């Protein structure tokens, strides 16, 4: 009897450890989301990689000013994350809010090459950072909604992998373009506009949002104390750890 149970457990472990077949991988429901995420990361990283250099060498700002601009952008993005996720739970329309956020990010990208002063760049950096941050959280929530339960982990893995690829290709492409365009930073900024608008059109025309399940509990106001109390202590522990880990962002522009 014990031998049979042991054999059954081994077979179960083998089934659980078996990699996903190609037919299962092809069922990843958010393939358009993955490509959209890749394009938007490429666009953003092309600009963010050169923006501190542009501020210091072209506009003549100090390192302190660069830090203040990045601090404002990160603070605005962090605040926007809270309200964007709450609003998506309240309205139940994640794609609409994500499209608005990333549409704003795409339309503010041309401000970087057109800006003549630091004020315009502060507004553009804050807008794109907030839009990208809010859209990223709505994107993850939508992935969870449209991915099959058995492929949810693979879906998030694919999304994160392509995010990393975009974070690598963006600065690399910026370096290549700087070499080809004789260090013309504004021209590189214009090239960064292209993938941003491709990503915006992809989210509008290539992604479908599923209907909410009929039995799902309606959220009256997500930021109400009663709703926040539903979040357990492990959740707040993860949030506290994430806050500590995010402190490294302050050194990124330097």
């Amino acid at each position: 009897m014990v031998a049979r149970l042991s054999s059954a457990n081994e077979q179960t472990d083998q089934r659980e450890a078996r990699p996903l077949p190609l037919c299962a991988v092809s069922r990843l429901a958010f393939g358009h989301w993955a490509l959209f995420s890749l394009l938007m990361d490429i666009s953003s990283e092309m600009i963010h990689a050169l923006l501190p250099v542009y501020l210091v060498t072209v506009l003549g700002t100090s390192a302190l000013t660069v830090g203040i601009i990045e601090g404002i952008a990160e603070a605005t993005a962090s605040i926007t994350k809270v309200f964007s996720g709450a609003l998506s739970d309240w309205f139940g329309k994640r794609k609409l809010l994500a499209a608005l956020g990333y549409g704003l990010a795409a339309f503010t990208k041309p401000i970087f090459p057109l800006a003549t002063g630091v004020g315009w760049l502060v507004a553009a950096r804050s807008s794109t950072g907030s839009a990208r941050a809010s859209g990223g959280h709505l994107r993850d929530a939508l992935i969870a909604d449209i991915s099959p339960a058995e492929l949810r982990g693979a879906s998030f893995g694919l999304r994160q992998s392509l995010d990393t690829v975009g974070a690598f290709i963006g600065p690399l492409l910026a370096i290549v373009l700087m070499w080809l365009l004789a260090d013309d930073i504004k021209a590189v900024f214009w090239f960064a506009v292209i993938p941003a608008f491709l990503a915006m059109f992809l989210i509008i025309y290539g992604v479908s949002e599923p209907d909410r399940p009929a039995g799902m509990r309606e959220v009256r106001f997500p930021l109400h104390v009663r709703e926040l109390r539903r979040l357990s202590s492990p959740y707040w522990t993860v949030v506290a750890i994430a806050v500590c880990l995010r402190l490294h962002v302050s050194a990124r522009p330097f």
Side-chain angles (χ1 to χ4, degrees):
M1 187 62 147
V2 175
R4 290 180 181 178
L5 290 175
S6 177
S7 176
N9 290 334
E10 290 178 358
Q11 292 177 0
T12 301
D13 293 339
Q14 290 177 358
R15 287 196 299 269
E16 292 177 351
R18 189 180 304 166
L20 289 173
L22 291 178
C23 61
V25 175
S26 65
R27 291 172 54 209
L28 292 179
F30 81 107
H32 291 105
W33 267 113
L35 183 58
F36 158 77
S37 181
L38 174 66
L39 290 171
M40 187 57 72
D41 271 351
I42 290 175
S43 174
S44 298
E45 294 299 334
M46 286 178 65
I47 292 177
H48 295 169
L50 296 176
L51 185 59
V53 179
Y54 180 74
L55 287 168
V56 174
T57 60
V58 178
L59 297 183
T61 60
S62 63
L64 176 62
T65 304
V66 174
I68 292 174
I69 292 174
E70 290 297 319
I72 293 173
E74 291 296 331
T76 307
S78 299
I79 295 172
T80 307
K81 291 176 185 178
V82 177
F83 290 98
S84 63
L87 288 174
S88 72
D89 289 335
W90 195 6
F91 292 143
K93 300 294 183 182
R94 306 192 197 280
K95 176 186 172 180
L96 175 61
L97 295 175
L100 290 174
Y102 279 111
L104 175 63
F107 278 102
T108 53
K109 286 290 195 299
I111 296 178
F112 289 99
L114 293 174
T116 57
V118 177
W120 283 99
L121 291 176
V122 172
R125 179 67 181 88
S126 301
S127 299
T128 55
S130 300
R132 184 185 176 195
S134 61
H137 284 67
L138 297 175
R139 170 201 58 197
D140 291 345
L142 187 55
I143 289 173
D145 290 342
I146 66 181
S147 297
E150 69 275 11
L151 297 178
R152 195 164 292 154
S155 299
F156 278 101
L158 177 60
R159 192 273 300 168
Q160 185 60 46
S161 298
L162 291 181
D163 272 1
T164 305
V165 171
F168 173 77
I169 293 178
L172 180 62
L173 187 57
I175 293 173
V176 173
L177 289 173
M178 286 285 286
W179 176 64
L180 293 175
L181 300 172
D183 296 337
D184 190 345
I185 298 181
K186 286 189 176 182
V188 178
F189 286 166
W190 280 116
F191 274 98
V193 173
I194 299 174
F197 276 92
L198 290 176
M200 184 189 70
F201 285 117
L202 188 59
I203 183 179
I204 294 174
Y205 298 107
V207 178
S208 299
E209 183 174 6
D211 296 329
R212 277 198 164 189
M216 182 175 290
R217 186 181 70 90
E218 182 180 354
V219 179
R220 295 183 178 179
F221 186 69
L223 296 180
H224 195 276
V225 176
R226 183 171 49 224
E227 296 292 342
L228 294 176
R229 286 177 179 172
R230 295 175 58 87
L231 302 174
S232 60
S233 56
Y235 168 82
W236 294 111
T237 302
V238 172
V239 170
I241 295 174
V243 169
C244 295
L245 294 176
R246 288 290 294 175
L247 292 176
H248 77 282
V249 177
S250 60
R252 182 186 299 171
F254 306 101

